[in-house]
Amino acid sequence: MQAKPTTRSAVRRCAAAGALALALLGAGLPAAAAARPQPDLSRFYRQKPTWSSCKSPDMPKDLQCAAVTVPLDYARPRSGTLDIALARYRATGTSHGSVLLNFGGPGGAGISELSSDGREFMDLTNGYDVVTFDPRGVGRSSPVTCGASADETSDLPDDSTGLDHPRELLRQLKLAAAECARRSGPVLAHIGTVDAARDLDVIRQALGDKKLNYLGFSYGTRLGAVYAAEFPHKVGRFALDGVDTLTEPLSEQGVAGAQGQQTALDDFLDWCTTDVACPFGQDRRSAGDQIVRLVHSLDAHPVPTDLGSSLSGQDLVGAIGQGLYSKELWPSLERALASLTQEGDPRGVLAFATSGSSLPVRSGTATVTADASGGHHKKGGVVDPQDVPPDNLMAALMAVNCADDPDRPDANRIVADLKDLLARYEQASPVFGRYRLIQLLMCYGRPRGTDFVRNRVKNVDTGDMLLVGTRGDPATPYRWTVETAARLGSSAVVLDNKGDGHTGYTSSTCVHEKVDDFLLYGSLPPSGSSCPADGKDWSDTTAPDD
């Protein structure tokens, strides 16, 4: 999404202006680069957002919106700018500043999430303005797109069996990468987490906070960790829930993701087969085999949809993956699968595959134009919600993950390794393996990513950070929480959530209260603390590691 240029506070006159600019420039330097000459970023650090009611009729009336301007390229801040869309709920009690939320992804839009599920975070307004944002390239902040229309539910190439013809698949992927670059414009080259973390610091200063208080979920934990490495002395109270890996290459992340999703699918089928309405019957082993056969059948013979496209087996896999993120979604997933298998009706599955998206496709995105001072701005500023491309989530997800990953094997290496890779992925999950492997290959044809996340985010010199890992998380395995905590160093404290589902804050009363206590009052759980699944006694939450 793109944001309108904000109203900036007046520049202070004479010597005071110069002194302020130097002070703000120092505040905005990443720790690793502070000793080197840096471009002048003071104009970005001087701005103050102008808050007003969000103009969308679908948003709560007490939700306020604004925007801040950031450089397109922090190394060349006069080469162009982007506007980052913000939203907030004001503090209801005495405000101690702001707490900034990132809901994950990458590619997840913060504003729409806070607008629809803001009640989950209202406790935090006892001490903070609760603020979120759409990161660069996401949602209303210069959204990237690969041009997929609303009826194209899969982020995979049209040939879902493309792994059987790898060189043709790689040719398609290279063409797809070029199309993404053409349609997305300049922001695509600057969409990685390192730049997004720089944006966080501009937002922090614009909000008037000396330190950043932050609650990040899933990918948002990676973003928070990168910020901590870049700006260690600006870290306030940080809570990271559903902790991402900082070290594993995308190939290993894909295997871990397939294993996690398979475990979540097994749990779903354990539950489903106890229900007479389960479309796969009550024989648990048979149910697992039926899922595999259904995927293969739909890959061979996709089901037509009312939208004029078709539902393939890989589309179904993507939809099931969405439905496994929370136990609350299991009954809806069961009904959707029953409608598909018993009535041939794919609409319920499509709702999961598209995450409910029905936005129309817009032709292109806003363009970058020069202003009188030699900088750039976005025409129209923040894009309206209805103008966000329907494929933005998946386009941004791939763009950020590829930008954060330095590995780019050539075609010959991929083809040589593909058979062994496929065997590993399908061993990890006979349902999700192929889907995750094709996602891995989608970085082919894109520029090599940074090695900053893998090599330089470690041993951060910050205050305490609370890391929450959920044992039954299908997307971010619990071991990533432990490994990331060890990598970040002594500042990282782990809270072990014994529940299921992706992240714990919105599904576990215990996790919710412990995170709130830390963010609001600085009360950190002791090392070794755990939270049992909801419905169990959690009065004693200290447990030995296991």
Side-chain angles (χ1 to χ4, degrees):
M1 311 179 209
Q2 296 159 334
K4 295 180 181 177
T6 60
T7 302
R8 302 177 187 173
S9 56
V11 179
R12 299 188 181 180
R13 291 177 171 80
C14 304
L20 176 63
L22 289 173
L24 291 173
L25 177 58
L29 295 181
R36 300 194 298 269
Q38 294 293 308
D40 183 4
L41 301 175
S42 57
R43 70 187 181 104
F44 300 102
Y45 276 87
R46 282 196 300 265
Q47 64 188 308
K48 298 295 181 185
T50 300
W51 295 96
S52 61
S53 298
C54 299
K55 294 182 171 54
S56 173
D58 297 330
M59 292 186 180
K61 296 188 183 303
D62 55 342
L63 187 69
Q64 296 181 321
C65 288
V68 297
T69 301
V70 298
L72 173 67
D73 181 353
Y74 276 91
R76 298 184 302 126
R78 291 181 65 82
S79 66
T81 62
L82 302 171
D83 291 328
I84 304 298
L86 308 175
R88 74 175 179 184
Y89 285 108
R90 296 300 305 274
T92 56
T94 301
S95 177
H96 302 296
S98 302
V99 59
L100 194 62
L101 309 183
N102 180 278
F103 296 100
I111 294 175
S112 59
E113 186 72 24
L114 187 62
S115 174
S116 61
D117 289 325
R119 65 187 181 279
E120 299 282 359
F121 306 94
M122 287 301 100
D123 289 344
L124 294 173
T125 62
N126 290 332
Y128 292 111
D129 292 343
V130 175
V131 183
T132 192
F133 64 107
D134 288 351
R136 57 172 57 210
V138 174
R140 302 178 66 192
S141 302
S142 304
V144 296
T145 178
C146 296
S149 60
D151 61 351
E152 292 174 325
T153 61
S154 177
D155 60 307
L156 306 179
D158 290 339
D159 180 11
S160 60
T161 61
L163 293 176
D164 300 327
H165 308 282
R167 291 196 181 273
E168 173 59 21
L169 175 61
L170 294 179
R171 186 189 71 82
Q172 290 183 30
L173 291 172
K174 191 171 185 178
L175 291 174
E179 183 68 1
C180 293
R182 184 183 74 81
R183 288 181 177 269
S184 296
V187 68
L188 192 67
H190 304 281
I191 197 176
T193 302
V194 173
D195 281 328
R198 301 292 302 271
D199 296 342
L200 286 189
D201 202 57
V202 174
I203 294 171
R204 173 198 60 76
Q205 181 73 20
L207 295 173
D209 293 330
K210 291 182 179 180
K211 293 190 174 184
L212 179 67
N213 302 306
Y214 180 80
L215 174 55
F217 299 95
S218 193
Y219 162 76
T221 69
R222 188 199 313 172
L223 178 58
V226 171
Y227 180 90
E230 290 192 275
F231 303 95
H233 302 302
K234 298 298 180 183
V235 171
R237 295 171 183 171
F238 264 43
L240 309 179
D241 184 3
V243 181
D244 203 353
T245 180
L246 298 176
T247 57
E248 290 188 355
L250 285 178
S251 58
E252 295 302 319
Q253 292 180 45
V255 171
Q259 289 172 333
Q261 288 182 302
Q262 184 64 48
T263 298
L265 176 60
D266 291 342
D267 291 342
F268 166 76
L269 291 176
D270 288 343
W271 168 85
C272 183
T273 51
T274 64
D275 182 3
V276 293
C278 183
F280 307 111
Q282 279 65 60
D283 185 316
R284 172 61 186 82
R285 178 174 294 183
S286 172
D289 294 340
Q290 288 181 63
I291 286 277
V292 174
R293 289 198 299 269
L294 179 61
V295 170
H296 291 167
S297 174
L298 287 173
D299 273 337
H301 306 286
V303 173
T305 73
D306 293 341
L307 299 173
S309 62
S310 58
L311 180 80
S312 71
Q314 298 310 303
D315 293 329
L316 174 63
V317 171
I320 292 173
Q322 291 295 318
L324 295 176
Y325 265 54
S326 168
K327 277 189 173 181
E328 293 179 356
L329 297 175
W330 287 6
S332 296
L333 179 61
E334 179 188 43
R335 290 191 295 272
L337 291 170
S339 294
L340 175 67
T341 58
Q342 297 170 2
E343 303 169 19
D345 184 354
R347 289 176 295 180
V349 169
L350 285 172
F352 282 103
T354 62
S355 298
S357 174
S358 60
L359 301 178
V361 178
R362 302 287 166 164
S363 56
T365 60
T367 58
V368 178
T369 56
D371 62 25
S373 65
H376 296 76
H377 66 276
K378 288 285 183 177
K379 283 186 176 179
V382 179
V383 304
D384 293 330
Q386 66 269 21
D387 293 333
V388 178
D391 73 325
N392 175 243
L393 178 107
M394 291 309 304
L397 183 147
M398 294 310 307
V400 173
N401 280 340
C402 295
D404 287 357
D405 188 82
D407 300 326
R408 287 296 182 276
D410 62 21
N412 290 335
R413 177 67 181 273
I414 292 172
V415 171
D417 291 347
L418 194 57
K419 183 176 180 180
D420 289 339
L421 272 174
L422 180 58
R424 284 190 65 209
Y425 273 64
E426 292 195 323
Q427 181 179 11
S429 171
V431 174
F432 296 98
R434 180 176 288 258
Y435 183 90
R436 297 301 294 248
L437 181 54
I438 296 179
Q439 285 188 323
L440 165 68
L441 297 179
M442 289 183 74
C443 286
Y444 181 78
R446 295 174 183 258
R448 180 180 180 272
T450 181
D451 61 4
F452 184 94
V453 179
R454 190 181 299 175
N455 294 339
R456 295 177 62 185
V457 184
K458 56 186 177 181
N459 300 321
V460 296
D461 182 18
T462 70
D464 290 331
M465 296 186 289
L466 178 60
L467 278 59
V468 180
T470 298
R471 292 286 178 157
D473 195 316
T476 50
Y478 178 78
R479 66 176 176 83
W480 284 357
T481 303
V482 177
E483 292 168 0
T484 297
R487 184 172 178 82
L488 291 177
S490 59
S491 62
V493 174
V494 172
L495 176 61
D496 180 357
N497 177 28
K498 305 292 188 181
D500 293 302
H502 186 38
T503 73
Y505 185 80
T506 61
S507 60
S508 165
T509 303
C510 171
V511 171
H512 192 106
E513 293 195 6
K514 288 188 177 296
V515 169
D516 282 358
D517 285 346
F518 174 60
L519 291 173
L520 289 168
Y521 313 114
S523 177
L524 194 68
S527 179
S529 291
S530 67
C531 283
D534 265 12
K536 297 181 180 179
D537 179 18
W538 54 276
S539 57
D540 179 7
T541 57
T542 302
D545 293 336
D546 57 9

